[in-house]
Amino acid sequence: MTDTPFADRGARREHGPAAGGRATDGAEEAFGRQDIRGRSADPRRTTSGRATEPRRAPSRGPAAERTPRTVPPTPRARTRPAVRPAGDDARQGARRTGSRPVADPVRSSTRQHSVRGRRQRQDRGSRANTRLRGRLALWALVAMMMVAGVRLVDIQVVQASTFAAQAASQSNREVVLPALRGSITDRNGTPLAFTVQGRAVAARPALYADDAQRRQVAEMLVADLSATLPGLTVDDIMTKLTSGRTFVYLARGLMPAQADAIVAERNEIFDVDHRDALVMDRMDIRQTTADSPSAAIVGGTDYDGNGVSGIEAKFDSQLAGENGKRTVDVDAHGQIIPNTARDETAAQDGTDLQLTVDSDLQYVVQQKVAQRVAETGAKSGCAVVMTVKTGEIAAMACAEPGKTTREVGNKAVTDTFEPGSVNKVVTMAAAIEQGLITPTTVMTVDGSIKINDVTVKDAWSHGPIDMTATGILAKSSNVGTLMIAQEVGPDAFMAKAKLFGQGVRSGVQLPSDAKGVLPDPSTWSSSTFANLPIGQGVSMNLVQLAGMYQAIANDGVRITPTLVRSMTENGVAVPVPTQRGLAAPGTAVTVMSPETAHTLRDMLRGTVQDGDTAHRGTAPAAAITGYQVAGKTGTAQQVDPETQDYSQTVVTTTFGGFVPADDPVYSIALMLDAPNSSGPGGSSAAPLFHEIAAYAMRQADVPPSATAAPVYDLYVGAAG
């Protein structure tokens, strides 16, 4: 006998069309109050009839608090009332009729249903998302496998050689075999600059354990190198070691034995894995003397051996040579594995240069220039001694108080100046070449001359006086020179000035060879041709001035000057390279005919004549006992930087000449910048010419002149 769900209510309710307008049976209500196992739907009572605490479904958040869904009855056609099946029969009846049990409308709002064992139907959208995620994961896995496969093929096939080379590079090292920089010698083979193997101490600051270890290294280096590098301090080294840089040099210019001693001490401070914290680099040492007389000409190099000045810079590529290389294997610590050297390319040592400079003469010239600068209080002074027949520069020296020769530099090449009266030879050469004058031509010269709107005076006051052409040159008369220049004309004058090498670079093999200024006629003012013939308004360097007088001494042929006598590679002579846009060293340029040169040479002897007023030139102090001397003094006003006009007190004094005048060997040019003398150039530069020329004659063992120089009349008639 089956329990009836309605037993506790005492009566059975029947539903029919009259009770709710629906055709239902008792099975629907019974299904709504009893679970699928036939248990009582009352959560407070078990099948045994004892009351218990209601069983609660597991909490699922807000969804667990929702009330059971009430399914509205489905309208059906009217049927005969039937007895409601109970329990399982009710469910079967419901399945047969195709209807669903409906909860009691009276009790559905308070009835709680057990969810234990109930099947949860999954939402269709959730099932679709699950399938989509599965497919995406599968495709992602396939894509990753494809990428890995492509990468594997790329590494093992396409880039196999590249990666193999990278792997080899980690175990191989290319060692540079430094080329030995070429040597520089003077004309007699005396070394002026040469290279010896050297070392530099370098560090990798990041490999140091702490500042204490850095200081230990700094103190060790200072103690070992104090004699070699007196300026090295612990603080300087610590600054570099704490700079945060990857690689720093701590000391340079060490000999190999010094470096070996430091390496031995390093090994006691660092373990094997950290010895790269302090290393030795090969850094060759260029041996030269910074204050030697030839230091400015030779120049210098930087720590990497690159030429930075002088001949070292001008011929850097030839001197440097070409480094070689070899391949070696290294271990995990970067140390070279013995007997693994291979693929060696030998280094090509640099070219050796022999200069035209004579070291002994250079020394004396340097001393004499410095002495004369000090005597006159000049700002600086320079001298150039050039071989007449070849254009080779035998000595070139400059001096400036308080500076070494290297600090002064090659002012004879880099600096230009207005030459003054030494430029009067241009006018005289042009006039002689045109047949306008001879050494004895007489001209009446007044104390001043007006050209256009400019009045030019002589250095001494005088009225009209008869002077020979030789006297005009020897007495350095501005007025007489301009009178001759007016007959020569601007065109002929400019043509001759260019042949003398004015306005173009001299061609000497040093950096910053200044070409000076020779104004183009299109830029002339009304006063230009009143200045150029007497050496104002034109500028040149001292090598150019020496070349002008070398041309006069060399029968009218100017030779492109040179400082390099020869170049050799592995003992084999090679040509001296030609500078772009310039004539090759030794190139000959005809400035005037030999006859004109001989005539002008004779006239220049008058400058150094001594005697009475009618015979004494401006530079008797330049004369040398036993030798005929020819030359010309010059005094040029400097431009006042404030007024941009010619100064009445600041001048440049010059001298150009050659010796012996009867058979010239050397051409000598001198310049003193702003000496404390307002007199003519002879009073300050002529004695310097005498000192240099006299030594040059003795040093070169030049025999004295066979005859004394002829004496020319400078004035005619009464002395002025």
Side-chain angles (χ1 to χ4, degrees):
M1 181 175 179
T2 311
D3 291 337
T4 302
F6 302 99
D8 60 343
R9 299 179 61 182
R12 176 178 298 178
R13 295 181 59 189
E14 294 187 7
H15 300 272
R22 294 183 301 179
T24 61
D25 54 28
E28 292 177 323
E29 184 175 357
F31 186 76
R33 298 183 60 199
Q34 193 169 353
D35 64 13
I36 59 176
R37 293 192 179 101
R39 297 185 180 92
S40 171
D42 188 348
R44 297 169 297 178
R45 189 175 298 275
T46 64
T47 55
S48 62
R50 286 185 295 185
T52 64
E53 289 296 323
R55 183 184 300 274
R56 299 186 180 185
S59 175
R60 297 180 181 272
E65 297 176 1
R66 291 198 294 264
T67 58
R69 184 177 60 175
T70 303
V71 181
T74 303
R76 299 178 58 190
R78 182 177 297 175
T79 58
R80 291 186 303 175
V83 179
R84 291 179 295 182
D88 293 338
D89 293 337
R91 288 193 298 273
Q92 293 172 4
R95 291 173 185 145
R96 284 195 300 270
T97 60
S99 63
R100 299 178 63 185
V102 181
D104 187 344
V106 177
R107 306 179 65 182
S108 61
S109 61
T110 61
R111 185 181 302 125
Q112 298 183 10
H113 299 277
S114 173
V115 297
R116 185 177 61 182
R118 184 180 298 175
R119 296 177 61 189
Q120 299 294 321
R121 180 176 295 177
Q122 195 172 23
D123 185 61
R124 288 184 177 181
S126 299
R127 292 197 300 271
N129 289 338
T130 301
R131 289 193 296 271
L132 178 60
R133 286 194 296 269
R135 292 191 185 99
L136 290 176
L138 178 61
W139 281 111
L141 180 60
V142 171
M144 291 172 62
M145 293 180 66
M146 291 178 64
V147 170
V150 170
R151 182 58 176 161
L152 187 62
V153 172
D154 180 58
I155 293 174
Q156 294 189 343
V157 179
V158 179
Q159 299 191 62
S161 59
T162 301
F163 286 111
Q166 291 179 357
S169 67
Q170 295 177 3
S171 60
N172 298 341
R173 180 186 297 173
E174 189 175 272
V175 178
V176 175
L177 305 177
L180 194 65
R181 190 172 180 86
S183 64
I184 301 175
T185 63
D186 77 344
R187 66 187 301 124
N188 301 312
T190 303
L192 300 176
F194 58 94
T195 297
V196 297
Q197 284 195 21
R199 299 289 186 271
V201 182
R204 296 181 175 89
L207 298 183
Y208 285 74
D210 49 34
D211 284 348
Q213 192 176 55
R214 294 185 179 95
R215 182 165 292 277
Q216 183 181 5
V217 169
E219 292 174 350
M220 178 263 290
L221 291 177
V222 170
D224 290 347
L225 304 177
S226 58
T228 305
L229 304 172
L232 191 66
T233 66
V234 172
D235 290 341
D236 290 341
I237 297 176
M238 286 297 295
T239 299
K240 294 178 180 180
L241 291 178
T242 57
S243 63
R245 295 170 60 187
T246 305
F247 189 87
V248 293
Y249 282 104
L250 305 180
R252 307 173 193 255
L254 277 63
M255 299 304 291
Q258 292 176 297
D260 293 342
I262 292 174
V263 168
E265 293 186 63
R266 175 205 65 181
N267 294 343
E268 298 177 1
I269 299 175
F270 298 96
D271 57 32
V272 175
D273 293 334
H274 294 85
R275 286 178 181 172
D276 279 350
L278 190 69
V279 295
M280 301 297 132
D281 266 9
R282 175 172 173 178
M283 188 175 287
D284 289 345
I285 302 172
R286 193 66 168 170
Q287 295 283 12
T288 185
T289 306
D291 58 351
S292 73
S294 302
I297 297 174
V298 172
T301 59
D302 59 17
Y303 283 120
D304 294 323
N306 303 312
V308 294
S309 63
I311 291 292
E312 294 276 20
K314 196 68 176 181
F315 291 88
D316 184 55
S317 59
Q318 291 86 356
L319 288 165
E322 187 174 350
N323 291 336
K325 61 182 180 180
R326 73 160 63 101
T327 302
V328 297
D329 292 338
V330 296
D331 59 22
H333 300 293
Q335 302 298 316
I336 296 176
I337 300 175
N339 302 320
T340 60
R342 59 192 179 277
D343 302 331
E344 180 171 323
T345 301
Q348 300 295 321
D349 290 341
T351 303
D352 296 325
L353 270 67
Q354 184 180 38
L355 302 186
T356 60
V357 173
D358 184 294
S359 293
D360 292 339
L361 181 61
Q362 176 74 16
Y363 175 82
V364 172
V365 171
Q366 178 70 47
Q367 296 297 313
K368 298 298 184 182
V369 171
Q371 179 182 347
R372 192 60 182 166
V373 167
E375 290 173 351
T376 62
K379 293 181 180 178
S380 64
C382 292
V384 173
V385 179
M386 184 180 293
T387 304
V388 168
K389 300 300 181 183
T390 63
E392 294 179 351
I393 296 176
M396 184 174 69
C398 294
E400 187 173 339
K403 292 185 178 181
T404 66
T405 53
R406 180 168 292 176
E407 291 172 339
V408 173
N410 296 299
K411 295 170 70 71
V413 174
T414 61
D415 291 9
T416 60
F417 53 89
E418 295 192 13
S421 294
V422 290
N423 200 49
K424 290 175 179 176
V425 294
V426 178
T427 299
M428 296 299 174
I432 295 170
E433 196 95 313
Q434 295 181 36
L436 299 176
I437 61 171
T438 67
T440 58
T441 299
V442 178
M443 302 178 67
T444 301
V445 180
D446 207 340
S448 64
I449 185 173
K450 186 172 183 179
I451 299 179
N452 296 325
D453 58 347
V454 177
T455 300
V456 179
K457 299 179 180 180
D458 276 337
W460 75 102
S461 298
H462 65 87
I465 189 171
D466 293 335
M467 302 183 70
T468 62
T470 301
I472 290 173
L473 185 61
K475 290 286 188 178
S476 197
S477 171
N478 294 331
V479 176
T481 302
L482 290 176
M483 291 171 62
I484 298 173
Q486 294 298 309
E487 296 186 44
V488 170
D491 293 341
F493 174 85
M494 288 295 292
K496 192 63 68 178
K498 290 179 180 178
L499 289 174
F500 268 111
Q502 295 182 13
V504 296
R505 291 165 56 193
S506 69
V508 69
Q509 303 99 330
L510 283 174
S512 304
D513 179 17
K515 67 178 183 179
V517 175
L518 180 64
D520 188 89
S522 63
T523 66
W524 285 11
S525 67
S526 59
S527 63
T528 300
F529 199 55
N531 289 326
L532 295 181
I534 60 175
Q536 299 275 186
V538 60
S539 66
M540 61 186 66
N541 65 29
L542 198 60
V543 173
Q544 289 173 306
L545 179 57
M548 291 175 59
Y549 282 81
Q550 174 271 325
I552 299 170
N554 192 39
D555 296 336
V557 178
R558 181 171 59 86
I559 306 297
T560 301
T562 181
L563 270 169
V564 180
R565 195 176 196 187
S566 66
M567 298 175 61
T568 57
E569 293 180 0
N570 297 320
V572 179
V574 296
V576 177
T578 300
Q579 301 182 73
R580 182 181 301 177
L582 297 176
T587 300
V589 177
T590 300
V591 179
M592 65 195 82
S593 67
E595 294 76 19
T596 298
H598 292 163
T599 300
L600 186 54
R601 183 191 307 173
D602 290 341
M603 294 172 66
L604 288 170
R605 289 188 179 102
T607 304
V608 297
Q609 286 182 180
D610 202 356
D612 57 23
T613 303
H615 298 92
R616 186 172 61 248
T618 57
I624 304 172
T625 302
Y627 295 91
Q628 294 187 22
V629 176
K632 181 71 188 78
T633 58
T635 303
Q637 294 171 290
Q638 294 190 11
V639 175
D640 189 324
E642 295 183 0
T643 64
Q644 294 302 309
D645 290 330
Y646 283 116
S647 172
Q648 298 301 314
T649 57
V650 183
V651 298
T652 300
T653 60
T654 55
F655 192 98
F658 43 88
V659 61
D662 54 333
D663 187 12
V665 174
Y666 289 126
S667 166
I668 301 174
L670 310 172
M671 184 276 297
L672 294 174
D673 180 10
N676 292 330
S677 173
S678 59
S683 65
S684 58
L688 179 58
F689 179 91
H690 168 84
E691 294 291 335
I692 292 174
Y695 178 82
M697 294 296 96
R698 295 193 301 270
Q699 193 256 355
D701 200 19
V702 176
S705 298
T707 60
V711 177
Y712 292 92
D713 291 331
L714 307 182
Y715 290 143
V716 176

